[in-house]
Amino acid sequence: MIRIFVLLAAFLVAAVLPAHARQIIDMTGRKVTVPDRITRVYSSSPPGTWLLYAVDPSLLAGLNFAPGEREQRFLRPEFGRLPVVGGVVGHGRGLNMETLLKIKPDIVLVWDWQQQGINGRFEETFQKLGIPTVYVRLDSLGDYPAAFRFLGELLDRRERTDRLERYAEQALKDVATAVGRIPANQRVSVYYAEGDEGLATEREASFHAELIPLAGGRNVHRGEALDHVGMETVSLEQVMHYNPQAILVQEREFFARVLADPRWQGVKGVRDKRVYLIPRLPFNWFDRPPSFMRLLGLKWLANALYPRQFPLDLARETREFYRLFLGVSLADADLKEVLSR
């Protein structure tokens, strides 16, 4: 505890030192005074951290959690050496104050999401430390072009974010154009299988399942999201009643056995072998957390549901995406691992 007080005193002294500053308008319309030159940024949740990684990983001052060994293989080496601060991670809501004080971020980037309560508590903590809080809007995949543009201006990385913004806009446009030609009565019905038994899912309006309608699919679990956590439990009988034409699977173990499981043979997607395992290296392409990886996930899903209407050289696209957004080159073995998990 004494150590934290010493760090806090040193941090506050540094925070009140005269510095060049400028005023910006963040993505929620708040006026925020930030340093003229920003070189160290911490984000309180993974979507913001991954976004910063895509813009410039050298700006990251800390992580929400340490990447696993398998994930780190597909990231820049320096990423795995960053200190872990914590944040809004899954069901976790904690900050390591000692580490936060040590890394001394110039600003904190916060995802303007539905958790106003936790965001407000975090903002109060950062305010007491004299760290400006900047909100970024990432509620839907369509927010990403503007988010890249905003960060390019904020962090003086406009040339870099121009490339990311163009990719995001083109991906959204290409898929929307292709699936927009498919009549409503020919849209593929989709069940999103989560959990070890594949019997947790998301409703059609949930942001967790946003890619299904964007890719032209029809989520069989209708209605508004019950909460932001999701993973609503359903019965196998309910899935059989839905009788989806395709199934998206998060867990490898469930994917490995579902095609041979006699209990699932009553589901059309299983009988037709239209069961797709969602790639998740180094970050999930579909959900949890929702990130820019969904731009590639959107193309992957549109191609899986409509290979004729949306043809895609997935290997080439994946290599180009990882080079552009993650700064890594995929060898053949890497690509195979990414696509097969």
Side-chain angles (χ1 to χ4, degrees), residues 17-270:
L17 288 174
H20 296 290
R22 58 189 160 119
Q23 191 172 69
I24 59 110
I25 306 293
D26 72 11
M27 292 189 75
T28 63
R30 298 163 61 251
K31 292 181 179 178
V32 186
T33 300
V34 301
D36 257 349
R37 184 167 178 268
I38 297 171
T39 61
R40 298 176 62 76
V41 186
Y42 160 71
S43 177
S44 60
S45 63
T49 300
W50 304 159
L51 186 71
L52 287 165
Y53 177 99
V55 172
D56 185 350
S58 73
L59 292 167
L60 278 166
L63 303 177
N64 308 113
F65 59 86
E69 186 177 336
R70 196 171 179 219
E71 288 77 17
Q72 181 56 54
R73 288 182 45 233
F74 300 96
L75 296 166
R76 299 269 292 269
E78 61 269 30
F79 184 80
R81 295 193 287 268
L82 290 169
V84 174
V85 182
V88 184
V89 182
H91 296 287
R93 301 288 188 272
L95 285 174
N96 185 322
M97 289 300 294
E98 184 173 349
T99 305
L100 179 64
L101 293 169
K102 281 182 179 177
I103 65 172
K104 299 178 181 174
D106 296 322
I107 63 168
V108 174
L109 193 70
V110 176
W111 174 19
D112 171 45
W113 191 34
Q114 303 162 9
Q115 299 192 83
Q116 286 87 0
I118 184 67
N119 279 345
R121 290 196 294 278
F122 276 17
E123 184 179 352
E124 185 178 350
T125 298
F126 303 138
Q127 192 174 26
K128 288 177 180 175
L129 296 174
I131 310 173
T133 302
V134 176
Y135 281 88
V136 62
R137 183 153 289 157
L138 301 172
D139 292 357
S140 72
L141 195 58
D143 290 329
Y144 273 78
F148 285 128
R149 187 162 56 249
F150 171 72
L151 287 186
E153 296 291 342
L154 176 70
L155 304 172
D156 193 23
R157 298 292 190 279
R158 198 67 184 93
E159 184 177 349
R160 166 68 177 161
T161 57
D162 278 351
R163 297 177 63 201
L164 305 179
E165 181 186 345
R166 282 196 299 273
Y167 183 98
E169 287 181 334
Q170 196 63 50
L172 290 163
K173 180 181 177 183
D174 289 348
V175 172
T177 300
V179 303
R181 302 189 187 104
I182 301 170
N185 63 0
Q186 294 178 24
R187 299 288 176 108
V188 175
S189 58
V190 179
Y191 171 69
Y192 176 27
E194 299 177 278
D196 295 340
E197 301 300 321
L199 292 174
T201 193
E202 308 296 334
R203 297 194 177 204
E204 64 175 343
S206 168
F207 75 90
H208 290 294
E210 182 189 14
L211 289 198
I212 294 175
L214 286 178
R218 182 168 51 81
N219 190 338
V220 294
H221 198 50
R222 315 289 285 183
E224 297 293 324
L226 299 181
D227 54 45
H228 65 268
V229 176
M231 294 197 73
E232 182 180 352
T233 301
V234 294
S235 66
L236 179 56
E237 289 72 23
Q238 183 67 60
V239 179
M240 292 174 70
H241 173 73
Y242 287 149
N243 203 24
Q245 295 167 288
I247 300 177
L248 302 178
V249 177
Q250 277 287 13
E251 302 304 327
R252 171 185 282 275
E253 293 74 17
F254 174 69
F255 177 78
R257 66 174 185 271
V258 63
L259 289 176
D261 190 331
R263 297 173 301 166
W264 283 80
Q265 298 310 306
V267 180
K268 180 173 175 54
V270 174

Side-chain angles (χ1 to χ4, degrees), residues 281-303:
L281 286 172
F283 314 132
N284 201 299
W285 288 20
F286 187 87
D287 184 26
R288 299 185 191 279
S291 78
F292 63 82
M293 294 298 291
R294 292 179 301 161
L295 294 166
L296 179 57
L298 176 62
K299 290 186 175 183
W300 164 78
L301 181 55
N303 173 254

